[in-house]
Amino acid sequence: MKNFSHFPPIWRLVRLGMLQVLLSCTLVGIASARSGMAQAILERKITLQVEGQTIKATLSQIAKQTDIRFVYSQQLIGAERKVTLRAQNEPLASVLDELLAPLKIQYEVSEDRVVLRLPSKPTSANVSAPQDITVTGRVLDDKGEGLPGVNVVVKGTTNGTQTGGDGSYTLTAPDQGTLVFSFVGFNPQEVAIAGRTAVNVTLAPDTKTLNEVVVVGYGTQQKRDVTGSIASVKGDVLVNQASQNAVSSLQGKVAGVQITNNGQPGSSPQIRIRGTGSVLGDPSPLYVVDGTFVDDISFLNQDDIASIEILKDASSAAIYGVRAANGVVLVTTKRGKAGTPRINYNGFVGVQSVTNKVKMASASEYATLINERNAAQTLATNLPSTDWFEEISRTASVHNHQLSMSGGSEKVTYSVSGSYLKQQGIVKNNDYERITARLQTDYNATDHIKIGYSAAFTNTRSNDVPADQIFYQAFITPPVLPVFKANGNYGDSFDYPLGNFANPRATLARYNQRSNNQRLVSNVYASINFLKDFTFRSSLGINYGVGQYRNYQAKDSLTTTQFRQRSSLTSSNRKDSRWLWENTLTYDKALGDHRITGLLGISAQRDQYNQIIGSINDVPYYSESSLYLGLGDPTTARIETPADKYTFASYFGRVNYAFKDRYLLTATLRFDGSSKFSSANRFGIFPSVGAGWVLSEEEFIRDLGVFDLLKLRGSWGRLGNNNIPSNIAVQTVAVGAGAPYYTGIFGGQPYFGGNINSLAARVLDWETTDETDIGLDLGFLENRLTAEVDFYNRRTNQAIFDIPVPGSNGFQDPTTRGNYASLRNRGVELSVRWNNQVSEKFSYNVGFNTNYNQNKILDVDAIGAQIYAGNLPVGGVQTTLTRPGLPIGSFYGYVVDGIFQTQDEINASAQRTVAGLKPGSFRYRDLNGDGVIDAADRQVIGNPNPRFNYGVNLGFRYGSFDVALDVQGVAGVDIYNANKGVRYGSENFTKDFFDNRWNGPGTSNEYPSAALGGTDLNANTWYVEKGDYIRLRNVQIGYNLPKTVVSTLRLQGLRFYANAQNPVTWFSYKGFTPEVGQLRGSTGATSAGVDLNVYPLSATYNFGVNVTF
Amino acid sequence: MNIPSSFVKRGIAGVLGTAILFGGLAACKDSFLDVAPQGQQEATAFFTNQAQAVQGVNSIYANLRAWPLAAFAYLAVTTLTSDDADKGSTTGDASFLNEFDTFTFTSAQTTIESYWNGQYQGINLCNQVLANVPPINMDGNLKNRLLAEAKFLRAFHYFNLVRAFGGVPLVVTPSSVNSTPEQLNPVRATKEEIYTQIVTDLTESSAVLPNTYGSTDVGRATKGAALALLAKVRMYQQQWNDALSLSEQVMALGYSLAPDYEAMFRVAGENNSESIFEVQAQEIQGNCDASNSQWAEVQGFRPNGWGFFIPTADLVAAFEPGDKRLPATVLYRGQTTAQGDKIPDNAPNPYYNKKAYVPGPVGACGYGKNQNIRILRLGEILLINAEAANELGQTAKALADVNRVRVRAGLAPITTTDKTALRNRIWQERRVELALENGDRFFDLVRQGRAGTVLRAQGKLFVDGKNEVFPIPQNQINITGGVLTQNPGY
């Protein structure tokens, strides 16, 4: 770009003026030099009337009338294009201008010939040609506000700039050139300069989203070129959601992505993409934040996120090879843009409260039930009642503040942000604090070398509560127990003939644990563009975390069951580090109708984790400052040092090819090696191929005039999952500090022992997932209506299962791991979106997405080809069965046929031989009709895998107001309500149970008596309930202060918003929440949907303000 | 074509940089991907020296203190089923245990599975030693002794299994990742095959084990322990000649009755002159995980202990007036012990097992962590000898044995010479001498063929032909795909 900055200002003006004079003289000169013969030809008169006729035919008509010849390349000028033209005795020049100018065809008269050509590609010579002028202007958005960061380029050149903070720009351009304005999210616009020095432009938002750029693995791609299934969510959608974790904000937004929230502050929601495709451990996707692999993104403030892309199918995810089987979530954070600094504050304050609380039996109801249960007057029915949920929970506050600044010049762009979040838990004593700081810089060292980095630092601090235990305790603890006794001591179950129950308030009071974690996620890169089409990029990502917690259990005597003879202090320090070094070489070339992008890459990764956990007794408590291990009794000191380490080496490549923007092809190959597997079978190959056909580019579809977009795409690929512990196939020994229970005692002294008490996993290989995807992208009515449909079939082979081994082998862990099964997830995804800008003031959009997924086990290599799981902690009850033909972890048990009303009914039934059965017990159906109820009378009684997930997203904008509303739901899913059946004795009951129980002949044929126990606790249909729900996920109302008011405040923008998250959830399930993840204390998808966790839902109400300075 | 030289340079730099970085990364791949498990010992480096052989055997003893072998599962199956014990604690506490008191348990009862798994976990530890120690280059005598200890302990576990279930899978080699599916999923052997293995293991180990150990090895299996257990096994098999001669061999090893019956069950009385085999327990304050025996804790009086498996009124009534063993076996509600502990007047149960009583405050690791579990002692050997002698018509010998035990208890000698009457007296003596000590009562009643009569009289729903053995855990039948067959009636 030509730059006059080396001239002093006055000289610059003078020179500019002189230049213009000079330029116009030159142009006149050229014109007059031509005038001789050409002028005469151009003045020949023409009369013509054509309608929808090809250019070729039109030109030949003109040629006849004027007796000249046209010279052109039919292909180049697109001579088959149809035109309409009307001329009545007009000069040739104006007819040609009228005909050719809109088609961007230039002409030149040479003797008796007119040569047609497309505008010549400017060379570096004519960029600095003397006809350049300085153009200034401002780019505005549809609301009339300045748009910073818009690319302004002189068409056909690389000469360009970006708009500044207020949307203004200055650049030098040929006076007859064309400026192209482009900005993500807006329709690009071309404006002829036509000699003007001021060009102001208003960009219209891109409602099509078709030219949208999406982030793909190791690069970006135009959405229309994508052959796979990628869901893209922009940062502004997340900002409407005032949640603390960006993943949580995705709930109900993306078809095929199921998100299960967890109410604990600082915790991460569970995310499953296209069903449960993996059985063992964590079937979570891979998260990639700006190229760095992380395990979860709770360290990010969602205001820092520019976009989240979810790679759902094999074609898009296969570039991540052995880590991609559960999908990939790509997070791109905001980067600075050239222009004046943009400073923004966004903050909200809010409250959270428990919703959908299950009503428990009161003291008198409980006493009635216990007396019925024991058939004796165990308790008086007039005892005062304690509502334990009320006692442990509270209305909690949350507030979050973020301040960011971004900007830069053409050389350097930057973005800096900091945020502070403070969230109380809905459980008393629980709070969480997070500070984030982010710094990011991109530096264009030369025109071809770019370097940059991003670094995000997060510090979290929390006061913890035993969240898993506390809600369970509140559920089971008898309401007859007071919080405090008259003498001020904690209410004690020893005072009642009920068994041992912890006082939940005492549990909270004695629990003293603090955690503090720091994490740095950073990435530094350099890229060099060479030999015109090649870019080499090297990036190093570092993810470094340290964490401490200390747990102090004071010497206390709170109740008979909650006492501690000696105090105990546990202190832990952990450090994890991961580096990821990746080098990629990209080739990008457009040749006529062909566009090709090639990528070759190589990557190495090392993960390491170390922890030191020390514990000691008798540390005195003077203040928090005395809680150090050094102050305890040295003879009681213990230390543990868990650690892990693993590495990856990978090679990968991808080719994207597009022909005429119509036929698209993507092929990827990744070759991955991991230290988690033995050297013999450590490398795997993960190929994928995807193809797309943009039918709407074809004449025959375009002629229909129906589709703005019609794209058919299909892909197949193979993905891997190595999300398993390291070295599990190595047989290890239980010995030393890791196996203190193997200490032999002889002569009163301990002697350390060790032995082999486990069965090494028979893991031969990682899981592979073969996935086929067929999709259709549609756009109608000027793309106001868009839709995407996908059919997928994911087959997970060699799924790593924990399969039970017979107890006679004598292993401590009764399961072993190996590639024991294959399973399938098959489904359909649909998203439909309607966007309408009704008027300048009013616009709205409606989105709907849903998916149907069917999960099925194809093969199990376990003994007996079936796995019973979902073990409840009482009575040996197993609730689920996984075997070929069934969805994974199907509920399995007896069918309840009513309640025995009398002993005579029992005596006449198939259950007469069951010892101790009483009226009020379940009558089970004799499925095989053999007159005996036994294990053979069980069947599948429910499916914990949701068949439908759906979301509805509505948005309205009227003038300064906007409203967003999200509804989300799950249908076709069952929950095993184990809370009802895990009964050791005198646990509390729900009010629902009290109201509906059997308590004498004829009282109920559905609910059992309070004495339920024995075979009543076996898995049966009474415990299985519908888990469907619909939730008002998020409602937000925003108000943008009018421009006039804002500018008097010297601000760029000011917005107020109010937001409600999860205010209402409708469900019939009788537990606390229909969002049931994993059975408490279990791992693996074979024990999903069994509710023994009873963590209530909470609603959050926020009020926020967003200021741009 | 005119290409600027900077363009060329950049091209070369780019190509070179790419090549170097790609090449460098590719070159380091092999060693880079070899990462051993962190902080874990690989099995290939274990069982390679003498110290590890000793560690392997130590672990088998340590495992005897584990929850399924020392606490709920063991006590529920062996004791709560008998007429000696009630569930105890409060009404609602662990009410599932009532199923053992009433014989309403089904094959789904996990406590039975816990018993099953616990015994087999011990057997695996023995099998690991027996398979992996022989090749170790070490002191030959020590090696033989360690192998003999492992055989003794394996026999002990199988004896617990065969009495509870009848025939069970006979596993004598450790399973590994190389085991065939059939090896991993064995069928049930017959009761006789299990007994044959027990007798072989005990016979072999008794030939090797020493009579006594030095002070640092007290608690390891001795020749006396192996012979005593074999005598008991022979009694259960009604092999009276063997039972008689084996018990006599034990009696000849120098054990003597402890003068004070009650003192035997205090911590100070552990490993006394009468003791033949005890599970050693010790509170190690810095390592509560090694102080893991909960035998005394679950039975200790409330609120210090958990107060389960309490003496029945029937057991209390079974003692003759003046029997010193009664106050040594039963703690009463409201009682203040000689050591000064007061059982609360409002304790939920009338009686507690005094053999599990550990005086003083609850320790840092919990209640009663110092209390050994008494497995075999001379008192029982005398009664085995007596029972065998009576069955073989050696009445005088039988009377002499029984009366040694009675006299210590402060009771008058018995004189009956009628075989049946004497048999009943020996059985009665066996009940009160060993009450709530090591869970033989239920198995004794079954062995004596009178379990149904005795237990139904206590209101239990014992079914003849069914409840003599426990059900094979349904979960195990499921896991084995039905390879394990169920016992009759379940």
Side-chain angles (χ1 to χ4, degrees), chain A residues 448 499-500 529 566 581 638 647-648 675 682 727 731 733 743 746-747 752 754-756 807 809 875-876 878 984-985, chain B residues 10 25 32-35 41 43 55-56 58-59 65 90 92 95 108 110 124 175 184 218 285-286 302 364 475-476:
Chain A
H448 302 278
N500 292 345
N529 175 267
R566 302 176 77 176
W581 184 27
R638 280 219 25 217
T647 54
F648 290 101
S675 70
R682 120 183 331 161
N727 308 97
Q731 179 70 58
V733 181
T743 302
F746 304 106
F752 120 69
N755 212 323
I756 296 168
N809 294 288
Q878 295 182 309
Y984 295 92
Chain B
R10 224 174 48 239
L25 214 51
F32 181 66
L33 290 176
D34 285 326
V35 181
Q41 186 161 352
Q55 286 169 16
N58 289 351
S59 72
R65 301 187 307 262
T90 55
S95 54
T110 38
N124 172 55
S175 301
L184 287 170
V218 170
Q285 295 198 343
R302 285 181 77 87
N475 188 20
Q476 290 300 316

Side-chain angles (χ1 to χ4, degrees), chain A residues 395-509:
Chain A
T395 298
S397 72
V398 56
H399 56 104
N400 186 31
H401 311 273
Q402 201 228 22
L403 192 62
S404 65
M405 181 168 88
S406 64
S409 65
E410 286 157 40
K411 278 273 183 209
V412 184
T413 57
Y414 64 88
S415 145
V416 190
S417 72
S419 78
Y420 175 77
L421 165 75
K422 171 105 187 188
Q423 187 182 9
Q424 289 184 327
I426 51 171
V427 181
K428 287 172 181 168
N429 299 355
N430 186 200
D431 53 61
Y432 174 80
E433 191 182 71
R434 180 182 72 188
I435 295 169
T436 68
R438 247 188 106 247
L439 183 59
Q440 174 273 319
T441 303
D442 289 318
Y443 177 56
N444 295 311
T446 72
D447 284 353
H448 302 278
I449 296 178
K450 198 172 169 182
I451 59 176
Y453 68 88
S454 63
F457 177 78
T458 306
N459 182 39
T460 62
R461 205 178 267 284
S462 59
N463 282 314
D464 304 328
V465 289
D468 264 5
Q469 283 171 37
I470 194 69
F471 282 104
Y472 183 66
Q473 284 184 7
F475 187 84
I476 64 166
T477 303
V480 295
L481 217 67
V483 178
F484 294 106
K485 297 198 270 196
N487 64 7
N489 292 343
Y490 281 104
D492 193 336
S493 62
F494 187 68
D495 299 336
Y496 305 85
L498 300 170
N500 292 345
F501 288 95
N503 181 320
R505 277 285 295 276
T507 303
L508 281 186

Side-chain angles (χ1 to χ4, degrees), chain A residues 769-908:
Chain A
T769 299
D770 287 350
E771 178 164 2
T772 311
D773 183 286
I774 294 171
L776 203 56
D777 295 348
L778 300 152
F780 307 94
L781 305 170
E782 293 169 343
N783 280 319
R784 276 178 298 180
L785 179 65
T786 56
E788 278 176 45
V789 195
D790 276 275
F791 300 86
Y792 61 86
N793 189 359
R794 296 174 71 197
R795 188 188 153 113
T796 308
N797 296 309
Q798 302 182 323
I800 296 173
F801 261 79
D802 269 340
I803 63 154
V805 276
S808 58
N809 294 288
F811 297 116
Q812 205 73 33
D813 178 354
T815 61
T816 185
R817 285 172 181 173
N819 299 111
Y820 286 118
S822 58
L823 59 124
R824 184 181 68 197
N825 281 283
R826 217 158 45 169
V828 189
E829 288 166 5
L830 170 69
S831 356
V832 182
R833 196 168 171 81
W834 169 258
N835 266 296
N836 197 4
Q837 176 95 30
V838 179
S839 68
E840 188 83 337
K841 279 188 126 177
F842 180 55
S843 66
Y844 67 94
N845 61 70
V846 184
F848 172 73
N849 69 75
T850 183
N851 80 309
Y852 169 80
N853 186 65
Q854 201 186 44
N855 179 289
K856 189 174 171 183
I857 297 287
L858 302 174
D859 178 44
V860 177
D861 190 18
I863 290 165
Q866 54 187 10
I867 297 167
Y868 288 88
N871 294 33
L872 300 185
V874 69
V877 175
Q878 295 182 309
T879 54
T880 73
L881 177 65
T882 298
R883 78 169 171 218
L886 298 182
I888 188 165
S890 292
F891 301 138
Y892 192 76
Y894 297 94
V895 178
V896 172
D897 243 0
I899 303 296
F900 285 119
Q901 304 292 328
T902 63
Q903 187 62 44
D904 289 346
E905 282 184 21
I906 296 172
N907 295 342

Side-chain angles (χ1 to χ4, degrees), chain A residues 123-186:
Chain A
T123 63
S124 55
N126 65 9
V127 169
S128 55
Q131 69 265 43
D132 280 8
I133 58 168
T134 299
V135 182
T136 60
R138 198 155 169 246
V139 182
L140 305 175
D141 66 10
D142 54 325
K143 294 168 195 147
E145 293 178 30
L147 264 182
V150 176
N151 280 308
V152 187
V153 180
V154 178
K155 192 173 180 185
T157 72
T158 54
N159 172 23
T161 184
Q162 277 190 330
T163 57
D166 62 346
S168 62
Y169 70 96
T170 304
L171 104 164
T172 310
D175 66 344
Q176 293 306 317
T178 300
L179 294 180
V180 181
F181 298 85
S182 61
F183 189 54
V184 174
F186 289 84

Side-chain angles (χ1 to χ4, degrees), chain A residues 494, chain B residues 301-303 332-335 342-349 352:
Chain A
F494 187 68
Chain B
F301 70 89
R302 285 181 77 87
Y332 297 84
R333 180 192 282 150
Q335 175 188 356
K342 162 96 175 163
I343 316 305
D345 292 326
N346 66 343
N349 314 104
Y352 293 101

Side-chain angles (χ1 to χ4, degrees), chain B residues 63-86:
Chain B
N63 188 61
L64 296 174
R65 301 187 307 262
W67 170 262
L69 286 91
F72 269 25
Y74 187 77
L75 292 164
V77 167
T78 66
T79 304
L80 188 49
T81 44
S82 77
D83 50 352
D84 280 357
D86 282 332

